[in-house]
Structure formats: C-alpha cells, structure tokens
Amino acid sequence: MEEKINERLFLIGILSMILTAALTLTVFHKTFDKQVKGDIRLTAKTLAAGYNSLQEYSGLQAYCGNGIRITLVAPDGSVLFESDTDLSKMENHGNRDEIVQARATGVGETMRKSNTLGYNTYYYAILMEDGNVLRVAMEVAGMYSDYNQAMPAVVAIGLMIMVMSVILSQVLTKSLVGPIEAMAENIEDIDKDVPYKELEPFALAVKEHQVKKAESAKMRQEFTANVSHELKTPLTSITGYAEMIENGMVQDGDIKVFAGKIHCEAGRLIGLIGDIRKLSGLDEPNPCESFEKVDLYKIAVNTADMLHLKAENCKVDISVGGNGGVIMGNKMMLEELVYNLCDNAIRYNKEGGRVRTEVNTRDTKVVLTVIDNGIGISKEHQERIFERFYRVDRSRSKETGGTGLGLAIVKHIALHHNGKIYVDSQKDKGTQMRVVFENTGDLNEC
Ligand code: ADP
C-alpha cells in the first residue's frame, strides 16, 4: 500500500509539474511573440515616419542592429536597399507575400523561411507614399533568443520539482501510512485512537470480530471442559464396577446387578454422545435439502405414544390437543424438539401429574405448547436452563437419565426453524414451554 500511495503521489506531483510548465510556457510564448512582433512593427512604423527625411536609402542602415534587417523594395520589385545582403545578390521581391499585401492594403506581414538568408523570419512591410515598400524583418531564432535562454532554467526548475516530489511523496506517504501501521501493531486495542474517521467502522468491525472470536473460544473451552467432566463420571463408575468384579469383590449373585449398573452408565454415555453430536450439528443434514412440510400435531401424538410407558411409570398422564399446525422444517429435528420438551415435562413432574401438548395455528404462527403441573422452575433458573449442561437439580436430572443438553438442543432446533421459545413456570406449580414458529412460507423458498 505504501508503495502504491508513494507512486501515485509522485505521479500527481510530476504530472502537475509538467502540466503547469507546458501551460506557462505556452502563455509565455504567446505573450513574448506578441511583444516581439509588436516591437518589429513599431520599428517599421518609426522608420516609415522618418523615411521622407532620408537623403538617400543607405541612411536606413543606421536603424539596423539587434537582429533587425531592413529592405526597401521599389514598385517594380527591385530591391533599392538591403541592410544584411549585398544588393547585387538580391532577386526581384515583387511577389513576396508581405510586399504583395503591403501594396494591396498598406501593410503586410508574414512568417516564412527567407529565400535570401534561409532562416525562419518574421517580415513586416509598409507601403510608402512614393510607391516603395519598406520592409523590416527579424529572424525567428533572434526573436526568441531570450525565450530560448530561459529554457535551461525551466528544465532545471522542473528537475528540482521532480526531486522534491520524490522526497515529499515519501514523507507524505509515511505520515499517511504510519498511523495505520501503528494501528495494525496494536491490534488488540484497534478501536482506540483510530487515526482516521473513515477507518472507525473498520476498526469497530475488527474489534467486534475479535470479541466474538474470544467469546466463541471461551464457550468452546467451557463446553469441552463440561463434556470431559460429564464423560468422566459414568466412565469412573464403569471402571469401578468392572474393577470390583475383576478383583473378585463381587459375589456371584451380585454380578448381574453390577452388569446392570455398567449397562446403565454405558447407556448414559451413549445418550450423552448422541446429544453432543446433535448440538455440534454433526447429525444435521443440509437444511435446504431436508426441509419439508411437517405436521407438528402428528409429531406430538407420536411422541405421546412413545413416552406413554415412561409417563405411566412416573404416574403421569400425557395428552395431546389443539387445532393442529403444519410448518416447513426438518422432521427429525422437530421430533427431537417435541420429545425433549415432553420428556422433561414427565421427568420433572410429580406423581399423579399431567402433561399436555398442544399444537395450534394462529394467523401465520404455529404454536407448540407443552404444559405440566410438575415441580416448576424458579425465576433465577429460568433464564439459564437453555445453557449446555445447566441443571437446576443435578441429581434429579441424572437419576432420570438427563444429560443437561436437552433444552440446549431444543433451543438450537427452534433457532434453526426461526422459532422463539418462551418459558412460563412457577416453582411447585408447573411449567409451560411455548415454541412459536413463524410460518410465513419463506422456508418454502429455501
Ligand atoms: P436435563 O437433561 O437435565 O433434563 P435439560 O436441558 O433438558 O437437561 O433441562 C435443563 C434443566 O432444566 C433440567 O435439569 C431441569 O432442572 C430444568 N427443567 C427442564 N424442563 C423442566 C420442566 N418441565 N419442569 C421443571 N424443570 C425443568
């Protein structure tokens, strides 16, 4: 970037120098030209004024010098006087442009190569009263000698400006880029002391990205720590039971009991791994490929059937109601969502309790509600129960086969379907979990 800015600044400097020099020289040249020609005309007019008082034509010689050449041409074109050349060498001048013009209009002027001297020359001619034409000429090289003398100085100044452009563009680039480099070096505090107003959104975006990255790293670390901890507990139990059997510390009759315990802990591990996979998105198919019309009421009925036995064991009654609802979604995920909510409503219930699942369509919304009159959740826990591994009562969760991930999965699936979850719960009275799906048909286009 530094190189590019440097290059461009230098280029701007050089271009403006060239442009300024070219324009100035053009204007200067025009003015100079006008002035020199004006001087030549004035000389010619002054000479013309004194012409009548001349005793003989050779008196004109006194007016020459400084590159001024004087010629007097008779009406027949023969040259009567010539200041710079031998008269005998002068051919007839009757058809020279300036002479022809002067005869016709009184004055004539032209710029051309002199036939006599061979240089580019400016001629100004005036018709005298006696019919002769007085012509004053000056070589172009002579005319512009002052102008040409100034050229080396112009080139020298140009070179100086060029050198200054190089130095200045480097200094300017450094002062422009320096603060940005300082910003990059202090990337942790990129949003502090932003050198340019225009860079503020960029600095804020970088900071935001940093914060998000840090948060996500922290969450991942916490999750890994939690997972290790959760895996360790059943594994420790399994190792303990197996060790006892191995060392002959378990009586033959109890081996079956211990095998059952190992089986149960292993089952817990499998469940945990299954939940972790669901949360990590490992088991999620591409949402666009698997979104279809899903009848939530049907899912609620199937789930109630599936959990019927569990509910019966817990002496809880489970039922389904509502006017039904169909949404676009992933069937397997939605089955998981309904299952987890109903399962919780049974597990955190009381003997003789009730679980009611309702699916209702209201305008563009489909609402799934799972209501129980179980143990309820106090206010301070309500906000945290969707966090991974958060449990209100750890032992109750474990006793009933919980992994602490059920509601985290519910939240994940709801978000995936643009759904919102609401908890309404009172300790010892019961809980109502509501998932509201916005069924606008947008998902159809997925
Ligand atoms: P778990 O596997 O422990 O059930 P969840 O993520 O499903 O994990 O739920 C988190 C915690 O929220 C549970 O441990 C429980 O304390 C509380 N909870 C969830 N659902 C209910 C409910 N219907 N009634 C009372 N408490 C509940």
Side-chain angles (χ1 to χ4, degrees), residues 295-297 321-326 358-362 365-367:
D295 186 341
L296 270 188
Y297 188 85
N323 65 9
V326 175
E358 292 212 347
V359 177
N360 286 296
T361 304
R362 290 185 197 125
K365 294 178 174 73
V366 174
V367 186

Side-chain angles (χ1 to χ4, degrees), residues 59-92:
L60 285 167
Q61 191 72 44
Y63 297 92
C64 299
N66 278 339
I68 295 270
R69 181 179 149 212
I70 299 168
T71 317
L72 189 66
V73 181
D76 64 355
S78 59
V79 176
L80 301 171
F81 172 80
E82 161 58 42
S83 61
D84 284 22
T85 319
D86 198 344
L87 260 186
S88 60
K89 287 183 188 155
M90 299 297 288
E91 54 190 58
N92 191 293

Side-chain angles (χ1 to χ4, degrees), residues 344 347-348 372 376-377 385 390-392 397 402-404 406-407 431:
N344 279 355
R347 284 165 48 228
Y348 302 107
D372 69 66
I377 310 159
I385 50 173
Y390 189 84
R391 296 140 163 142
V392 178
S397 162
T403 58
L407 286 183
T431 305

Side-chain angles (χ1 to χ4, degrees), residues 44 118 152 194 242:
V194 181

Side-chain angles (χ1 to χ4, degrees), residues 275 340-349 370-372 374-377 381 384-394 396-398 400-410 425 430-433:
D275 277 0
N340 284 359
L341 289 178
C342 293
D343 187 46
N344 279 355
I346 296 169
R347 284 165 48 228
Y348 302 107
N349 218 313
V370 180
I371 312 152
D372 69 66
I375 62 170
I377 310 159
H381 293 295
R384 301 202 55 191
I385 50 173
F386 293 95
E387 288 174 19
R388 294 163 180 199
F389 298 115
Y390 189 84
R391 296 140 163 142
V392 178
D393 180 348
R394 184 164 280 271
R396 178 158 187 153
S397 162
K398 288 208 166 166
T400 53
T403 58
L405 292 174
L407 286 183
I409 294 171
V410 166
S425 183
T431 305
Q432 178 176 321
M433 293 275 186

